[in-house]
C-alpha cells in the first residue's frame, strides 16, 4: 500500500482561517454603531464550556474551585478573574472565558474542569462553537433590547452582574449585563446572523435626530 | 399571552415555555399486561377537561426544567404551579376529619377515569408555588 506522505511540517494554526458566526456583519456593525449612543460588535471565539453538575455534590465543589464558584440561582453569575460562570438551570451552567483559555490555543481550562469532575456525576462539554457573543453597549442599549425582550430590563430590576436565559427578537439567547449600559448576548451560532441584523435594525432609529 | 411563573426563574412570557400535555399520566406498572386498548389509552387518550386541568410545562428557553401547572382551561387562570412528582394540589377539599389520604382526582393511570368535575367549585388552593423571583425576572 502506498504510504501517503504526510507533510513533515508541524501543523501550524492559521487563526486567520477561522470564521466567526457573524463575521459577515462586521462592517455593518461598525457602520450601524453610534458612538456614545449604542454600539454593537461581535466578540469572537470566546471559550465556552457547558457544565452539568449538582453544585452541592463533591464534584460540584471541585468544579467550583476551578471556576471560582458556581452561581446558586437564576440570574447568578460567579467566577474569578476573566473566567465567568452563568447560571442556566438548577444543575446547568455556562463557563465563559477568553479565547486563549481554549485547549486549541494552549489553554487548560477545559482539561482542568474535566479533571475536577473526574468520576463525579455530570458533564463538562466544550461548547465554544455553539454560541457567539455580541456586545451591545451605550446608553440606548437597553432601549434596543426592550424592543424584543420581555424581561424587565430597568436597572432597578436587572442589575449589572446578572445573566438570564430568555428570548431576544423571538430567538432564544442568554443575556448577561456585564456593566451598566453594557450587555453581552449569546445567541446560538445559527441565529447569529438573524440576531445581528435584528439588533442593527433596532438600533437604526437612534441614528436619526430625535423628533421633538 | 400567559405570564407563567417558573419555579426557578419567576414570571416569563408563555413563548419561553413548551406545553407537555396532561400531568400525572403514570407509566403502566407492567406494560406487557395491557391489551391493545389499554395501551392505546395510555399512549393517546387524555382528559378533555373543562375547568381546572393539571398539565406539564417546560421552561424551554430558560432553565429547561419541567414543572406542573393547574390551569383553568376556560379562563386560563393559573391556579397553582408545583414540582414534578408531587400530587395535584387542589385535590378534594380537605376532608374535615382526620388526615385520610385524600386521593386527588388524579385521574389518569389508564386514561378512562372521569374528568375532574368540580373544577369550578375548587376552593382555589392556589398559593402560586412560585419561589421568589430572581433579579430581573419579573415583568
Ligand atoms: Zn425557568
Amino acid at each position: 500500500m502506498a504510504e501517503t506522505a504526510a507533510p513533515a511540517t508541524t501543523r501550524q494554526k492559521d487563526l486567520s482561517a477561522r470564521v466567526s458566526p457573524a463575521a459577515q456583519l462586521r462592517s455593518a456593525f461598525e457602520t450601524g454603531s453610534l458612538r456614545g449612543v449604542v454600539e454593537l460588535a461581535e466578540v469572537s471565539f470566546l471559550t465556552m464550556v457547558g457544565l452539568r453538575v449538582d453544585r452541592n455534590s463533591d464534584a460540584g465543589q471541585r468544579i467550583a474551585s476551578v471556576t471560582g464558584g458556581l452561581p446558586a440561582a437564576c440570574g447568578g453569575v460567579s467566577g474569578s478573574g476573566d473566567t465567568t460562570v452563568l447560571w442556566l438551570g438548577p444543575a446547568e451552567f455556562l463557563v465563559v472565558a477568553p479565547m486563549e483559555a481554549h485547549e486549541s490555543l494552549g489553554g487548560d481550562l477545559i482539561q482542568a474542569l474535566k479533571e475536577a469532575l473526574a468520576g463525579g456525576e455530570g458533564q463538562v462539554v466544550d461548547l465554544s462553537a455553539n454560541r457567539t457573543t455580541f456586545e451591545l453597549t451605550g446608553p440606548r442599549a437597553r432601549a434596543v433590547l426592550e424592543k424584543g425582550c420581555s424581561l424587565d430590563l430597568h436597572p432597578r430590576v436587572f442589575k449589572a452582574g446578572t445573566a438570564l436565559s430568555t428570548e431576544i427578537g423571538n430567538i432564544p439567547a442568554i443575556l448577561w449585563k456585564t456593566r451598566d449600559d453594557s450587555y453581552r448576548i449569546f445567541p446560538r451560532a445559527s441565529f447569529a446572523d438573524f440576531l445581528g441584523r435584528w439588533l442593527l435594525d433596532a438600533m437604526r432609529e437612534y441614528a436619526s435626530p430625535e423628533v421633538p | 399571552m400567559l405570564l407563567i411563573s417558573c419555579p426557578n426563574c419567576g414570571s416569563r412570557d408563555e413563548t419561553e415555555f413548551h406545553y407537555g400535555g396532561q400531568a400525572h399520566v403514570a407509566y403502566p406498572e407492567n406494560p406487557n399486561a395491557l391489551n391493545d386498548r389499554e395501551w392505546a389509552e395510555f399512549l393517546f387518550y387524555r382528559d378533555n377537561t373543562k375547568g381546572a386541568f393539571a398539565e406539564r410545562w417546560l421552561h424551554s428557553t430558560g432553565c429547561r426544567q419541567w414543572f406542573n401547572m393547574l390551569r383553568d382551561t376556560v379562563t386560563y387562570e393559573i391556579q397553582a404551579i408545583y414540582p414534578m412528582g408531587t400530587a395535584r394540589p387542589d385535590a378534594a377539599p380537605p376532608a374535615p376529619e382526620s388526615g385520610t389520604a385524600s386521593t386527588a382526582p388524579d385521574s389518569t393511570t389508564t386514561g378512562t377515569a372521569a374528568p375532574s368535575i368540580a373544577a369550578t367549585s375548587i376552593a382555589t388552593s392556589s398559593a402560586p408555588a412560585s419561589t421568589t423571583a430572581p433579579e430581573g425576572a419579573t415583568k
Side-chain angles (χ1 to χ4, degrees):
Chain A
M1 245 205 266
E3 294 258 329
T4 39
T9 54
T10 52
R11 214 163 100 244
Q12 280 285 335
K13 291 209 165 65
D14 184 0
L15 296 184
S16 67
R18 298 186 302 177
V19 179
S20 65
Q24 70 282 9
L25 296 177
R26 183 171 307 148
S27 64
F29 284 176
E30 274 163 25
T31 51
S33 289
L34 303 153
R35 307 284 156 240
V37 180
V38 57
E39 300 177 43
L40 177 62
E42 183 186 21
V43 183
S44 312
F45 311 122
L46 292 183
T47 300
M48 297 190 207
V49 192
L51 298 178
R52 288 271 194 158
V53 72
D54 177 353
R55 63 192 291 278
N56 297 317
S57 67
D58 290 346
Q61 276 159 20
R62 289 197 301 272
I63 284 182
S65 69
V66 174
T67 59
L70 293 175
C74 181
V77 173
S78 60
S80 58
D82 45 18
T83 300
T84 310
V85 192
L86 314 183
W87 187 96
L88 297 188
E92 186 178 10
F93 310 92
L94 183 70
V95 183
V96 182
M99 173 169 75
E100 295 74 26
H102 197 268
E103 55 199 6
S104 64
L105 297 175
D108 61 357
L109 174 66
I110 300 173
Q111 194 53 38
L113 290 169
K114 282 181 177 160
E115 281 163 16
L117 179 65
E121 211 171 76
Q123 287 180 341
V124 173
V125 183
D126 178 6
L127 296 178
S128 303
N130 183 36
R131 297 174 183 273
T132 191
T133 308
F134 289 154
E135 205 147 54
L136 185 71
T137 55
R140 289 293 193 180
R142 171 161 72 99
V144 168
L145 288 171
E146 280 170 345
K147 296 180 186 187
C149 178
S150 66
L151 296 174
D152 187 349
L153 301 180
H154 191 283
R156 88 178 146 237
V157 177
F158 190 44
K159 304 232 164 54
T162 309
L164 296 170
S165 200
T166 184
E167 288 178 351
I168 301 169
N170 296 321
I171 61 126
I174 301 167
L175 178 64
W176 172 21
K177 186 170 183 180
T178 48
R179 302 187 308 276
D180 287 338
D181 292 342
S182 181
Y183 302 86
R184 280 190 169 183
I185 306 163
F186 302 102
R188 289 186 194 273
S190 55
F191 286 117
D193 186 80
F194 170 83
L195 186 64
R197 292 177 195 278
W198 188 93
L199 288 168
L200 279 174
D201 186 47
M203 287 158 63
R204 187 151 47 183
E205 68 165 296
Y206 303 110
S208 314
E210 199 168 333
V211 179
Chain B
M1 167 112 56
L2 292 178
L3 200 56
I4 296 174
S5 186
C6 168
N8 292 308
C9 307
S11 288
R12 299 290 183 96
D13 279 358
E14 179 187 353
T15 54
E16 294 195 7
F17 297 82
H18 273 92
Y19 184 63
Q22 182 175 348
H24 312 301
V25 180
Y27 192 79
E29 284 281 309
N30 181 8
N32 287 329
L34 300 189
N35 62 31
D36 284 355
R37 175 166 187 91
E38 288 163 339
W39 182 243
E41 284 177 350
F42 163 66
L43 288 182
F44 305 118
Y45 283 44
R46 295 293 180 264
D47 295 341
N48 187 18
T49 307
K50 184 177 181 183
F53 188 54
E55 55 201 13
R56 301 176 300 178
W57 286 80
L58 170 67
H59 191 191
S60 42
T61 57
C63 59
R64 309 209 292 181
Q65 302 296 304
W66 286 94
F67 56 92
N68 288 325
M69 181 193 294
L70 195 64
R71 183 180 61 94
D72 191 305
T73 56
V74 179
T75 63
Y76 284 77
E77 183 201 358
I78 297 169
Q79 300 179 345
I81 284 174
Y82 57 103
M84 301 300 286
T86 55
R88 180 178 162 138
D90 61 356
E97 57 273 280
S98 88
T100 36
S102 63
T103 32
D106 189 9
S107 24
T108 47
T109 29
T110 51
T112 46
S116 49
I117 16 168
T120 45
S121 65
I122 284 163
T124 325
S125 65
S126 64
S130 76
T131 49
T132 49
E135 296 286 315
T138 43
K139 178 64 181 161

